[in-house]
Structures are given as structure tokens and as C-alpha cells.
């Protein structure tokens, strides 16, 4: 299966996890995306652009990815129906983001819930740990989409 419309990543403030997922996905999921598919991130309670500093620095230092132009945006300002998948990113043991995504009308077959620690306010090692957890989740997502494609063909 090739995702024709794209993927929306959603977390709390759109300053850490969803921001990193968006930018990491652009380099890691090209094999499952059409050339016109969009990769976007948003938050249920978007924060100030200054709060993206640590995630942006992590992406640059660890992966060589420039995300400095990222500006947090509200998930309610996005047409979520224009995405093949919506990934909610909650802390382990929590489901506030997943519930918010469901409340916006995302059907279960298009909703992918992730559990990744929020590094907000933490030190650089916490941001790196979250980024590496996102990389693992992206690899699993790619395999799932490829498997779905193979079994539906």
C-alpha cells in the first residue's frame, strides 16, 4: 500500500514528539508514500515556537535534519480527513491525545496510537531517547503498511 494523502502526527504541544516524528518520517517513510503525500504534525494544545528549541537541536545534532522553520500548529486547524493515517503520540499509561484524535472523528482504521515519553523540559538525553523511540515506531509503521499492502494485493 502506498499512502497517497499522507500522515498526520499529533501530540500535546507540537514542540517535541510530533515535530520530531514529522521530520524523521520525511526521511524514513518515503517507500510507503506517494510523491504528493504530506507529512504534517500538530498539537492538541500548541505551544510557543521557542519551546521547539530542544527538539530542533536534537534533530540537527543526532540526525542532521534541519527543523528550524517548524511552527507549532493546532490539530483543529487541519483537515484531518485529508490524511491516510493519524498517529497520536501519548505518554505511556496515558491516552489524552488518542482520545482527542478520536473526538475529532478519526476512524479506528486510520488511527495509529503510539506511546512515547514526552521529553518536554528534559535534558538532551531525554530528547534523544524520544527521537530514537520515534525511529523504532516509524520502522514498525512502515512494516505494517508494507504488510497490509502485501496481504491486500
Amino acid at each position: 500500500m502506498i499512502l497517497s494523502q499522507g500522515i498526520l502526527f499529533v501530540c500535546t504541544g507540537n514542540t517535541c514528539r510530533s515535530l520530531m516524528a514529522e521530520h524523521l518520517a520525511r526521511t524514513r517513510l518515503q517507500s510507503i508514500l506517494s510523491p504528493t503525500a504530506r507529512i504534517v504534525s500538530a498539537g492538541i494544545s500548541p505551544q510557543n515556537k521557542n519551546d521547539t528549541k530542544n527538539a530542533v537541536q536534537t534533530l540537527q545534532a543526532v540526525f542532521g535534519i534541519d527543523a528550524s522553520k517548524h511552527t507549532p500548529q493546532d490539530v483543529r486547524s487541519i483537515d484531518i480527513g485529508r490524511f491516510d493515517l493519524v498517529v497520536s503520540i501519548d505518554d505511556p499509561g496515558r491516552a489524552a491525545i488518542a482520545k482527542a484524535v478520536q473526538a475529532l472523528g478519526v476512524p479506528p482504521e486510520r488511527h495509529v496510537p503510539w506511546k512515547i515519553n514526552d521529553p518536554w523540559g528534559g535534558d538532551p538525553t531525554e530528547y534523544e531517547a524520544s527521537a530514537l523511540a520515534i525511529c523504532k515506531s516509524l520502522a514498525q509503521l512502515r512494516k505494517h503498511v508494507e504488510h497490509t499492502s502485501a496481504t491486500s494485493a
Side-chain angles (χ1 to χ4, degrees):
M1 169 199 296
I2 296 292
L3 302 178
S4 60
Q5 295 179 312
I7 304 170
L8 171 64
F9 295 96
V10 183
C11 71
T12 306
N14 193 212
T15 57
C16 302
R17 296 170 295 179
S18 61
L19 177 166
M20 291 191 288
E22 172 188 351
H23 290 276
L24 289 165
R26 289 182 181 168
T27 62
R28 288 172 160 66
L29 298 183
Q30 292 308 315
S31 66
I32 63 167
L33 296 168
S34 76
T36 57
R38 299 179 318 141
I39 298 177
V40 178
S41 65
I44 62 169
S45 180
Q47 300 300 304
N48 188 294
K49 180 173 176 54
N50 293 337
D51 292 334
T52 67
K53 184 177 95 174
N54 292 338
V56 168
Q57 287 175 342
T58 298
L59 288 170
Q60 183 64 54
V62 179
F63 303 98
I65 296 172
D66 180 7
S68 60
K69 292 185 177 21
H70 178 83
T71 300
Q73 60 182 335
D74 194 313
V75 69
R76 292 168 292 245
S77 69
I78 296 173
D79 180 359
I80 58 171
R82 297 186 56 151
F83 294 91
D84 298 295
L85 298 174
V86 178
V87 177
S88 61
I89 311 173
D90 275 298
D91 279 316
R94 304 237 172 145
I97 311 304
K99 288 177 183 175
V101 163
Q102 292 164 352
L104 290 170
V106 176
E109 65 274 9
R110 289 186 24 236
H111 179 210
V112 180
W114 286 357
K115 302 292 187 181
I116 296 174
N117 288 320
D118 189 352
W120 191 82
D123 66 36
T125 62
E126 293 174 74
Y127 280 83
E128 186 173 339
S130 289
L132 294 174
I134 289 165
C135 289
K136 287 181 182 178
S137 294
L138 288 170
Q140 292 169 346
L141 180 63
R142 185 181 67 245
K143 285 179 185 175
H144 171 74
V145 170
E146 290 170 346
H147 175 74
T148 302
S149 175
T151 59
S152 64

